[in-house]
Amino acid sequence: MTLYYFTKRLHLSETKEAIVQNLFWAVLGKVVTLISGLLVGIIIARYLGPKQYGLMNYVISYVFLFQTFALFGLNAIEIREEARGVEPYQKIIGTAFGLKMILAVVFILLTIITSYFMDADFYTTSLITIYSLTIVLNTFNVIRNYFTAIVQNEYVVKSEIGRTIFCILIKLVLLWLHASLTVFMIAYMLDTALLASGYIMAYRYKIGSIRRWTFDKKYAIFLMKESFPLLLTSAAVIVYQRIDQVMIGQMINKESVGYFSVASRFVEVLIYIPMMLSQTITPVLVKAREHSIDEYIIKAQQFMNLSVWLSLLASGFLSCISYWLIKYTFGSAYMPAVIVLQIMAFKTASVALSNTAGAMLVTEGLQRYAIFRDGLGCIACIALNYILLPRYGIVAAAVVAIASTVTAGYLADALIPAYRHLFIRQTKALLLGWKDITCIYQLIKR
């Protein structure tokens, strides 16, 4: 009732009211998931200690790299096509699901094989094998993408919140039973299974049976052609956002991964805000551009201004309270993570700058050039980490995390002719975007 009353007080149109409500549910769902995950992560980190907690996060990051390739960049294209409504949604969902399932099986095998050769430790490879099953289970994200496209996140968010509460209880029981790291990795894998089940239940309740999904070979080729540039882009993005923990584990030790992961935990909570805004605003920008180019340009700039400057303010606040956050949450055993968090906090702002431009290039159909953009960030990340990690440790990894994001999401736009207009918009956002923070209410009403 409170949300309904709030939106009515704004006197919004039916479309804008749906957008605000959708944004609310998207934020609520992810905030609940991230904060609860953070709180449980604190307890688990204290229980496992830096070394085992570092190993756990090394495994998760390693599998996540392959998960990106299994998604094939289909998420953004799927949402775009469903928002347009040109093809039947059963055809879009079914074809995307079929492609992701095939790719998931392939990349599970590659995950296990590469781990066997990279890690002489059989135990680490075993944990990676267990957690790699999440690659298959994540294919059901096609349902979430559909609800995002039709601006009805409420239904999947409720299932996500239910899953989160249930999984927290399971982990608390495991802590009480003094379970091993292996059991915790199985529990994390089962989290994804429960989430997939929740998506299916939400879809059946609101839309219908998943048996009506259809796979179309010709349409599959179309989706793959459209998403392939985004696959390369996503791979590059994930490499320079996740490879740091893998490189730390390989070049330093798993304990250092634990310290770096602690800092990343807090940053991930903030980073979701610009990421969620990008996903939610994409259908809005698509429709605005089809209606009027001028209207699209205005809305896109306002979206970028707010995203960047709200993220900058949040980054500064997080950096200032880093010492107390680490000390009173993860504990004195993780104090080496303080300096990392003080630096890494500003990654949120750099991600906001990059992701807002990313939403625009997808809307404008310019994703085929994105590989050059994110390729530069990937090269910068790997090269800088390779040079600086042995000398400066995880502090260098924190600096590189920001530098690589800025390289890919801002500096590269100045070098690529097709993206130069994005660079101009980003520069305007950095220099003048703060003005829009003072009139958020008026922007919502517009």
Side-chain angles (χ1 to χ4, degrees):
M1 290 294 293
T2 303
L3 177 60
Y4 177 80
Y5 176 76
F6 173 74
T7 53
K8 289 301 180 185
R9 284 289 301 271
L10 290 175
H11 303 294
L12 305 176
S13 66
E14 185 176 339
T15 301
K16 290 182 179 179
E17 184 177 323
I19 292 169
V20 171
Q21 292 182 1
N22 188 64
L23 186 60
F24 168 81
W25 284 107
V27 172
L28 177 64
K30 197 63 179 183
V31 167
V32 169
T33 300
L34 287 172
I35 293 179
S36 59
L38 175 62
L39 294 177
V40 173
I42 290 170
I43 300 172
I44 293 175
R46 283 176 170 268
Y47 170 73
L48 294 176
K51 188 173 182 179
Q52 282 200 309
Y53 185 67
L55 176 57
M56 184 181 77
N57 282 278
Y58 171 81
V59 169
I60 292 173
S61 294
Y62 190 87
V63 173
F64 197 79
L65 293 176
F66 289 87
Q67 169 71 62
T68 304
F69 288 96
L71 292 175
F72 208 80
L74 285 164
N75 286 344
I77 301 301
E78 181 189 345
I79 292 173
R80 186 193 72 186
E81 292 302 306
E82 288 164 349
R84 286 177 174 173
V86 177
E87 298 289 342
Y89 69 88
Q90 297 95 333
K91 176 180 174 181
I92 300 173
I93 300 175
T95 305
F97 178 77
L99 288 173
K100 288 182 179 180
M101 185 61 72
I102 295 170
L103 291 166
V105 174
V106 172
F107 281 100
I108 280 180
L109 295 175
L110 288 175
T111 303
I112 298 170
I113 292 170
T114 54
S115 173
Y116 176 79
F117 288 104
M118 289 184 66
D119 290 287
D121 183 0
F122 177 76
Y123 181 57
T124 301
T125 302
S126 300
L127 294 179
I128 289 174
T129 301
I130 293 170
Y131 192 71
S132 66
L133 294 176
T134 59
I135 298 177
V136 166
L137 296 170
N138 274 321
T139 56
F140 287 94
N141 278 350
V142 294
I143 295 175
R144 198 188 205 295
N145 292 338
Y146 177 65
F147 278 103
T148 298
I150 62 175
V151 200
Q152 293 185 16
N153 272 339
E154 175 183 354
Y155 302 96
V156 292
V157 168
K158 287 179 178 178
S159 67
E160 288 172 351
I161 293 175
R163 183 278 316 226
T164 299
I165 294 172
F166 185 72
C167 291
I168 288 173
L169 294 175
I170 290 176
K171 292 183 179 69
L172 290 176
V173 171
L174 293 179
L175 287 167
W176 181 67
L177 294 173
H178 301 287
S180 65
L181 176 57
T182 302
V183 176
F184 275 104
M185 290 308 305
I186 293 173
Y188 273 101
M189 183 270 294
L190 291 177
D191 285 356
T192 312
L194 289 172
L195 184 60
S197 300
Y199 286 159
I200 294 172
M201 291 174 63
Y203 185 88
R204 291 184 63 182
Y205 172 77
K206 180 62 181 177
I207 310 299
S209 174
I210 63 174
R211 294 180 180 179
R212 296 178 182 175
W213 294 353
T214 58
F215 183 87
D216 187 284
K217 292 182 179 179
K218 290 184 178 179
Y219 195 67
I221 295 173
F222 167 77
L223 287 180
M224 292 185 75
K225 285 182 179 179
E226 288 291 301
S227 62
F228 183 70
L230 289 180
L231 163 66
L232 301 177
T233 301
S234 299
V237 169
I238 294 303
V239 164
Y240 70 73
Q241 289 185 357
R242 285 281 186 163
I243 196 69
D244 42 20
Q245 295 189 35
V246 175
M247 293 183 73
I248 290 169
Q250 292 285 335
M251 299 178 68
I252 306 178
N253 53 52
K254 302 298 189 296
E255 186 175 347
S256 295
V257 178
Y259 299 136
F260 191 84
S261 299
V262 163
S264 298
R265 278 281 184 177
F266 291 105
V267 176
E268 284 170 0
V269 175
L270 282 185
I271 280 181
Y272 173 71
I273 297 174
M275 292 179 67
M276 173 275 304
L277 285 173
S278 296
Q279 288 184 352
T280 303
I281 205 70
T282 296
V284 180
L285 293 180
V286 169
K287 292 179 180 179
R289 192 167 187 267
E290 290 177 350
H291 179 261
S292 169
I293 296 296
D294 292 335
E295 179 186 352
Y296 162 74
I297 292 173
I298 293 172
K299 287 187 175 181
Q301 187 67 58
Q302 290 173 344
F303 159 57
M304 181 177 286
N305 293 346
L306 289 173
S307 182
V308 170
W309 275 91
L310 289 175
S311 297
L312 273 171
L313 292 175
S315 297
F317 177 73
L318 179 58
S319 182
C320 291
I321 64 172
S322 295
Y323 175 83
W324 295 277
L325 269 181
I326 300 296
K327 182 178 181 180
Y328 295 112
T329 55
F330 286 90
S332 57
Y334 290 92
M335 291 308 285
V338 171
I339 182 63
V340 178
L341 181 55
Q342 289 174 335
I343 298 169
M344 280 269 287
F346 290 93
K347 182 179 178 181
T348 304
S350 63
V351 169
L353 191 66
S354 175
N355 278 23
T356 50
M360 293 175 200
L361 67 89
V362 171
T363 302
E364 297 170 19
L366 298 173
Q367 65 269 16
R368 59 186 177 278
Y369 304 113
I371 182 56
F372 301 106
R373 182 181 192 249
D374 296 301
L376 289 175
C378 182
I379 293 170
C381 178
I382 295 175
L384 290 174
N385 271 318
Y386 184 79
I387 295 169
L388 300 177
L389 264 182
R391 181 176 297 182
Y392 301 105
I394 54 176
V395 173
V399 175
V400 171
I402 299 172
S404 55
T405 306
V406 171
T407 299
Y410 178 56
L411 299 180
D413 291 341
L415 302 176
I416 303 171
Y419 294 167
R420 206 152 288 157
H421 67 291
L422 296 177
F423 175 77
I424 294 172
R425 290 178 190 172
Q426 289 171 304
T427 304
K428 287 181 179 178
L430 287 172
L431 298 177
L432 303 172
W434 56 271
K435 295 180 180 180
D436 278 341
I437 295 181
T438 61
C439 54
I440 293 179
Y441 178 83
Q442 288 81 358
L443 290 179
I444 292 175
K445 287 199 68 174
R446 273 185 227 164

